[in-house]
Amino acid sequence: MPIHRAGSKQLKEIRQLRSSRGTFVLSALLGLTLLWTFFSVQKVIARHRPLPSQLRAQTQAKQLSDHLAAMDFHPGQTWKDTDGDTVQAHGGGVIYHEGVYYWYGENKAGSTYTAYSLGYSPPRVDVIGVSVYSSTNFVHWTYEGLALKGGSHPDIDPSMVLERPKVIHNRQTGKFIMWMHIDTADYELARTGVAVSDSPIGPFRYQGSFRPHGQQSRDFTVYADTDTGMGYLAYSSENNRVMHISALTPDYTHVTSTYTKVFVNMAREAPAMFKHKGVFLIATSGCTGWEPNKLEVFWTRDPLGDWKSLGNPCTGGSDLENAFTFFSQPNFVMAMPEHPGSFVFMADQWDPEDLSASRYVWLPMWVDDNPDAQHDAKVSAWTRLNPFSSAHTISPVEVEVHWYDAWSMSHLSMNQTSRQTQQQDLKATFVDRGQQKQLPY
């Protein structure tokens, strides 16, 4: 049969039909591809979409983060002054004078090194001086300079050791007296140094150093009793095995002949003395160099008399944190004038690899009446004279130092019941930290 060839019109129709079929096939394939992609994306989204419990945890975590950020104090974190510089006031203390707080401490903004290649050589920073900061609210601190400059006397030459400076104000003379631990790099000198100033921010005039009663003096504190005007010096002595407590002269620049030995063979150091309702208390650490250890508080009614232990007051952290004073060492306890019965426990988290980076742990401390000792006020005169009476052994107070990741001045006004309620509410409201703190070095 003859072959009939399609005309141009038929060829055009055939091409259009083929084109429409190709477009349909391509459209179908594209639609299937889009549909598969859509369901695949939905599966990925579903796989990564947080569960309701996860959403709640995320919300709680943000609430906790916002809650902590709004607080005044963040223990163990880098502390900046009002100029944005890291605070350098290690091993120090605070006084309150005419509406202003003054914070003194070692300026360690230098390189950390060891002085000797052989034998015991603790890490050190060359003596720079004693920093002083001021604040009207105890939260924001302004650097006022060096209250005492290193190098102004052989005792405070850069090659020496100047530690734990404390300042007390003498109301009779109007002078500000700075005490400090003065030593050589091998810690064999073991003396106390004294400086005096007419102003809380200095400059302090260095007076010299000595060994109280001819005895070694290393870690120490000074305390001025505003009720009686008496001053006291407490210092680790006899190779740090025994603590001595001496009465100060009326001008607070030297010791009298009166002193006593306490905590015999207990190897306590880093003392911080304070007072509440006629009861003297002293917080101490063990002797483990730069490493943290357990805090122990003692009490008495006479600093030159017998002291009795109240044990370890640390709460709020893990068992390990509580047992190691939140990985810190006490340096001072500040009585807060606007919160009677409340104190701020001040400690250092030492970093022996970089002493300038050592951080501060400030925590609320409460001293409460001991209900078990209430009968002490009712015992007879004969019972009080009896040296074996329980009235002489039951502590009239209880002490608590509580860990908070962050806290505010308002915490200081809480009584024992409100503190317990607040701690329970925090546990119920916010997610737990879920981890123990690590050593800062």
Side-chain angles (χ1 to χ4, degrees):
M1 295 180 61
I3 299 175
H4 296 279
R5 297 184 180 276
S8 60
K9 182 177 181 181
Q10 290 175 319
L11 288 173
K12 187 175 181 181
E13 290 176 351
I14 291 171
R15 289 180 183 137
Q16 288 178 345
L17 178 61
R18 289 177 178 174
S19 176
S20 63
R21 287 176 180 174
T23 302
F24 173 79
V25 171
L26 289 174
S27 299
L29 289 174
L30 180 60
L32 289 173
T33 301
L34 291 174
L35 190 62
W36 178 84
T37 302
F38 173 78
F39 284 110
S40 297
V41 170
Q42 290 302 309
K43 287 183 179 180
V44 172
I45 292 174
R47 189 181 305 125
H48 294 280
R49 180 185 293 122
L51 298 173
S53 60
Q54 293 174 318
L55 288 173
R56 286 195 298 271
Q58 292 173 0
T59 300
Q60 290 175 333
K62 186 178 187 308
Q63 288 177 339
L64 178 59
S65 177
D66 294 343
H67 174 77
L68 297 181
M71 295 294 180
D72 294 331
F73 302 97
H74 299 81
Q77 302 300 311
T78 301
W79 200 329
K80 302 289 187 178
D81 63 18
T82 53
D83 292 327
D85 299 320
T86 300
V87 172
Q88 290 290 333
H90 309 282
V94 175
I95 66 169
Y96 182 71
H97 180 68
E98 295 181 349
V100 180
Y101 297 95
Y102 296 94
W103 179 10
Y104 306 88
E106 308 160 33
N107 188 313
K108 290 189 174 297
S111 299
T112 300
Y113 69 99
T114 54
Y116 310 108
S117 58
L118 298 175
Y120 175 65
S121 183
R124 59 169 281 116
V125 171
D126 284 345
V127 173
I128 296 173
V130 178
S131 300
V132 56
Y133 295 80
S134 66
S135 174
T136 56
N137 58 14
F138 203 71
V139 177
H140 304 106
W141 295 88
T142 299
Y143 182 58
E144 300 288 354
L146 292 176
L148 177 67
K149 292 183 179 181
S152 58
H153 186 280
D155 278 358
I156 52 177
D157 182 80
S159 64
M160 297 290 283
V161 169
L162 188 166
E163 294 180 339
R164 307 184 73 82
K166 303 290 184 291
V167 172
I168 50 179
H169 179 234
N170 190 301
R171 293 182 176 180
Q172 290 185 344
T173 64
K175 304 292 186 182
F176 296 87
I177 295 77
M178 179 186 293
W179 289 71
M180 67 210 81
H181 170 203
I182 296 295
D183 226 318
T184 45
D186 58 4
Y187 284 82
E188 290 298 318
L189 188 62
R191 297 165 72 93
T192 55
V194 178
V196 179
S197 175
D198 298 319
S199 165
I201 62 173
F204 280 77
R205 301 176 297 278
Y206 189 74
Q207 307 293 298
S209 66
F210 63 97
R211 282 189 169 187
H213 308 105
Q215 301 284 342
Q216 293 175 334
S217 175
R218 293 191 175 93
D219 277 13
F220 81 99
T221 194
V222 285
Y223 179 75
D225 185 356
T226 56
D227 295 327
T228 64
M230 287 287 293
Y232 300 94
L233 170 71
Y235 54 98
S236 296
S237 191
E238 302 180 40
N239 294 319
N240 292 350
R241 293 182 298 105
V242 182
M243 190 167 290
H244 294 187
I245 299 180
S246 302
L248 297 181
T249 54
D251 62 1
Y252 297 166
T253 63
H254 215 285
V255 296
T256 68
S257 60
T258 303
Y259 80 103
T260 187
K261 297 183 179 184
V262 298
F263 318 145
V264 177
N265 294 324
M266 294 179 67
R268 307 305 297 177
E269 66 174 6
M273 189 182 295
F274 55 109
K275 183 181 180 182
H276 176 70
K277 294 183 178 179
V279 178
F280 292 87
L281 301 110
I282 191 166
T284 66
S285 78
C287 293
T288 54
W290 299 101
E291 308 298 334
N293 52 64
K294 184 182 292 187
L295 182 68
E296 188 169 3
V297 175
F298 300 83
W299 73 275
T300 186
R301 292 191 182 277
D302 178 8
L304 299 174
D306 294 329
W307 290 77
K308 302 173 182 64
S309 177
L310 286 173
N312 178 9
C314 295
T315 65
S318 67
D319 291 343
L320 184 64
E321 291 168 345
N322 296 341
F324 284 85
T325 320
F326 316 113
F327 307 127
S328 68
Q329 183 183 41
N331 58 52
F332 197 74
V333 173
M334 180 65 187
M336 302 307 295
E338 297 180 359
H339 303 275
S342 297
F343 302 81
V344 174
F345 173 78
M346 301 167 56
D348 294 284
Q349 274 188 347
W350 295 114
D351 183 347
E353 296 181 358
D354 183 2
L355 290 172
S356 68
S358 299
R359 301 182 180 185
Y360 312 98
V361 172
W362 286 17
L363 293 168
M365 170 185 272
W366 299 279
V367 180
D368 301 301
D369 294 332
N370 183 1
D372 294 334
Q374 290 181 355
H375 75 283
D376 187 31
K378 303 176 183 178
V379 297
S380 65
W382 168 250
T383 303
R384 289 182 181 278
L385 292 173
N386 180 0
F388 302 102
S389 169
S390 63
H392 298 279
T393 59
I394 297 177
S395 169
V397 296
E398 297 176 331
V399 178
E400 179 185 7
V401 178
H402 192 88
W403 173 268
Y404 292 95
D405 287 341
W407 61 281
S408 291
M409 294 290 284
S410 59
H411 284 69
L412 296 174
S413 60
M414 295 189 298
N415 58 31
Q416 199 168 30
T417 302
S418 62
R419 295 199 304 269
Q420 294 171 351
T421 301
Q422 186 252 18
Q423 291 159 17
Q424 292 172 354
D425 290 344
L426 281 177
K427 290 181 179 179
T429 303
F430 301 115
V431 293
D432 187 75
R433 284 183 291 164
Q435 61 181 1
Q436 292 184 350
K437 291 196 181 311
Q438 301 298 314
L439 286 169
Y441 47 84

